[in-house]
Amino acid sequence: MTFSTQVMGGGVETRGPAYPSSSSWQAWQGEGIEEKKTGTQLTASGRAVHGPSLSGEKERRRGGQTWKPGRRAMGNAALLRRLGSPGSLLATVVLLSVVLDSAWLLTQEQQDLPTVKPNASLNVKFDPQTTKLTWDCRENASSGECVLIHKEKGPIKKKVKDSECQCTFQDYSLHGGVTLTVEVHVNQRRLSEMLVYTNPGREGTAAQNFSCVIYDADFMNCSWAKGRAAPDDVQYFLYIRSKKRIERECPRYLKDSGTHVGCHLQDLSGLTSYNYFLVNGTSQETGIQFFDSVLLLKEIEQYNPPDNITVQCNESHCLIRWEKPRTRQPWPNREFQYQLDIQRRRDTTSGRSQLIVVFGDSGNRYNFPKPGSKAKHTVKIRTADARKAHWGAWSQPVEFGSEETGSSLVHIYVLLVLGTLVCGLTLGCLFKRFLKSHRLFPPVPQIKDKLNDNHQVDHEV
């Protein structure tokens, strides 16, 4: 590869690389260069000067010599003097070819590298209603990643496929603010952008102490309190969005001095296993922050007492049975736990009771040892989730056992006491009768026999 060079008025002008034909190459070897001198100006004859390929010379100059800028800054006169001979002109052409070839190679390397503007922006946008993160699509963009950094749950990552410029996250509470990051690869270069989503409105104006409870399997009550910094004209509204992205507003609000502080729902048919609850507000004075939460219906449902409680007793124990309560969703027995309160009927006011926990996988039954006193007992049962002891209401007490054996013992005690009294009275009467007879018939005194008495005395002596 060679370069075409012209010398005009003491300067050197390079017109770029030129590939010589065979005729021009022969003319350069045979004829040389025709020159015309006019004063101090040297003008080439217009014939293009072509040089041979000097790859070896170029490598030698790269390795052994260093190009000095001072040589390029030579004066016009010195350059004209050096260009006066064909050898000097050839050396100049070779040097220029080396420099321009290196510049051309460097330009080609820079063109091969991918270029991304340093101030390139993906224009990231986030929609809190749909929890969708979007950005501008770029050409030659490959797979990337979306990250949602939650204050409580930490970083939540989602992979992005090729040619996709969006990602949708699961429902999470956003009232505390989140940080979102998008990272994509464009021409093997990483391009990322961060977006911080904050809760708009004045601090402390959002609803607080929010909670919901499901009861009787078909009804739900939600309640909240007015924000500590909320103005007097604040008004709150509750929206519920199911897992299927179906949203509805509270049909019946509960009010306190005209402000919505609760909601009552009688139809739970549209709710799914978990739902997104949003309480936002409006005011003429200032912006109101929102409060949101994701609740699992299984965790907020308060179970009813079990149904059909029965007790069957034999000589050794009493078998207590029951059926699982009706819930909003038909859960298996292992999802429940029960608490039994067994008391003696006469001791219900003394506080003495036995609280026994039985899990649902036991078959909804419990064997209670038959008490030795044979007294009548009562049992009542309540229900909770197997993983969380959030107990519901107690059932009506059910009696079991019998008081007949106890009453017979009382009768025996009474008869024993009565028998003892009768015996005592009988003995007393007999003793009194004996004393009376002794007084009526005193004993006859015996006649003293002096002879026998003296003989007895003498014998003893």
Side-chain angles (χ1 to χ4, degrees):
M1 181 181 63
T2 59
F3 293 83
S4 175
T5 307
Q6 278 190 338
V7 182
M8 296 290 295
V12 181
E13 179 182 3
T14 304
R15 298 187 182 274
Y19 296 89
S21 61
S22 58
S23 59
S24 60
W25 182 259
Q26 293 175 357
W28 182 83
Q29 286 182 337
E31 299 177 0
I33 301 177
E34 296 180 277
E35 298 178 356
K36 294 182 180 179
K37 293 183 181 180
T38 306
T40 60
Q41 185 176 7
L42 177 65
T43 304
S45 60
R47 184 182 302 170
V49 179
H50 304 284
S53 176
L54 299 175
S55 59
E57 180 70 16
K58 178 170 57 177
E59 294 296 331
R60 183 183 64 82
R61 291 181 179 274
R62 285 182 181 177
Q65 296 182 359
T66 303
W67 182 262
K68 297 182 179 180
R71 294 188 178 181
R72 269 192 299 182
M74 289 189 306
N76 294 337
L79 182 60
L80 289 175
R81 286 194 300 270
R82 289 181 180 273
L83 291 177
S85 62
S88 299
L89 185 60
L90 178 60
T92 304
V93 171
V94 170
L95 291 176
L96 290 175
S97 65
V98 171
V99 175
L100 294 178
D101 190 21
S102 301
W104 182 78
L105 291 175
L106 182 60
T107 305
Q108 288 297 110
E109 292 178 359
Q110 292 179 353
Q111 290 178 355
D112 293 339
L113 293 176
T115 57
V116 178
K117 295 181 179 180
N119 58 350
S121 175
L122 295 175
N123 193 20
V124 179
K125 297 179 181 179
F126 178 67
D127 186 1
Q129 186 174 3
T130 59
T131 63
K132 181 181 293 186
L133 188 65
T134 59
W135 59 91
D136 294 342
C137 292
R138 294 299 185 97
E139 296 181 358
N140 301 326
S142 58
S143 60
E145 186 180 57
C146 297
V147 181
L148 185 148
I149 303 176
H150 198 270
K151 291 185 177 180
E152 297 178 358
K153 300 184 180 297
I156 302 165
K157 300 180 180 180
K158 291 184 69 69
K159 294 294 184 181
V160 180
K161 298 181 180 179
D162 296 343
S163 70
E164 285 190 358
C165 302
Q166 65 178 10
C167 57
T168 303
F169 293 94
Q170 190 178 349
D171 288 323
Y172 294 100
S173 59
L174 306 175
H175 64 272
V178 294
T179 303
L180 302 114
T181 304
V182 177
E183 181 178 312
V184 295
H185 295 82
V186 180
N187 294 330
Q188 299 180 355
R189 289 281 185 93
R190 185 172 65 89
L191 188 62
S192 64
E193 188 169 342
M194 179 183 295
L195 174 66
V196 178
Y197 178 79
T198 58
N199 192 348
R202 183 196 296 177
E203 185 72 22
T205 57
Q208 57 185 357
N209 300 333
F210 179 82
S211 63
C212 293
V213 60
I214 297 175
Y215 63 96
D216 291 341
D218 297 322
F219 307 98
M220 181 172 69
N221 282 342
C222 295
S223 62
W224 58 86
K226 186 178 177 180
R228 54 180 175 79
D232 295 335
D233 65 337
V234 66
Q235 189 60 277
Y236 296 105
F237 303 92
L238 173 65
Y239 297 90
I240 304 175
R241 185 172 67 227
S242 66
K243 184 179 179 181
K244 300 178 180 179
R245 300 289 175 177
I246 300 176
E247 183 176 309
R248 61 173 173 170
E249 187 183 352
C250 171
R252 180 182 176 186
Y253 286 103
L254 306 177
K255 300 180 180 180
D256 181 14
S257 301
T259 304
H260 298 163
V261 293
C263 175
H264 176 70
L265 290 90
Q266 298 181 353
D267 182 16
L268 308 182
S269 58
L271 301 182
T272 52
S273 58
Y274 72 89
N275 299 267
Y276 176 79
F277 293 78
L278 171 66
V279 181
N280 58 15
T282 58
S283 173
Q284 297 294 333
E285 297 182 10
T286 183
I288 306 299
Q289 291 185 331
F290 68 89
F291 177 87
D292 59 344
S293 178
V294 178
L295 300 178
L296 295 175
L297 297 190
K298 189 175 185 296
E299 294 183 355
I300 65 174
E301 183 174 3
Q302 186 175 357
Y303 297 139
N304 291 332
D307 298 328
N308 299 332
I309 302 174
T310 58
V311 184
Q312 296 177 352
C313 297
N314 56 19
E315 296 297 332
S316 61
H317 64 275
C318 293
L319 179 61
I320 305 174
R321 292 183 177 180
W322 62 88
E323 295 180 1
K324 65 180 182 180
R326 187 178 68 90
T327 56
R328 200 187 69 84
Q329 292 183 350
W331 303 110
N333 289 331
R334 64 176 179 272
E335 297 293 330
F336 300 93
Q337 63 175 330
Y338 306 92
Q339 192 175 55
L340 283 68
D341 183 8
I342 302 176
Q343 299 182 11
R344 291 188 61 176
R345 193 178 67 172
R346 295 179 181 272
D347 296 338
T348 54
T349 59
S350 64
R352 293 182 179 180
S353 62
Q354 302 182 39
L355 295 178
I356 304 168
V357 177
V358 180
F359 289 93
D361 52 6
S362 64
N364 296 344
R365 61 177 61 190
Y366 177 73
N367 286 322
F368 179 68
K370 199 169 184 179
S373 61
K374 308 299 181 183
K376 182 171 285 189
H377 286 67
T378 61
V379 58
K380 54 184 180 180
I381 309 175
R382 59 182 180 177
T383 317
D385 185 82
R387 299 175 182 84
K388 188 176 181 181
H390 183 60
W391 298 106
W394 288 104
S395 65
Q396 293 296 326
V398 177
E399 295 184 353
F400 66 95
S402 176
E403 294 285 355
E404 295 179 359
T405 306
S407 61
S408 63
L409 289 176
V410 174
H411 295 161
I412 291 174
Y413 294 148
V414 172
L415 291 176
L416 183 61
V417 172
L418 291 176
T420 303
L421 292 176
V422 170
C423 293
L425 292 174
T426 303
L427 292 175
C429 292
L430 292 175
F431 184 71
K432 287 182 179 181
R433 185 176 180 181
F434 175 76
L435 291 177
K436 288 181 180 180
S437 63
H438 184 71
R439 290 177 181 177
L440 290 175
F441 303 99
V444 178
Q446 294 182 359
I447 300 174
K448 188 173 182 182
D449 190 359
K450 295 182 178 181
L451 264 161
N452 292 333
D453 292 339
N454 292 331
H455 175 71
Q456 186 176 2
V457 171
D458 293 338
H459 178 70
E460 291 178 355
V461 172

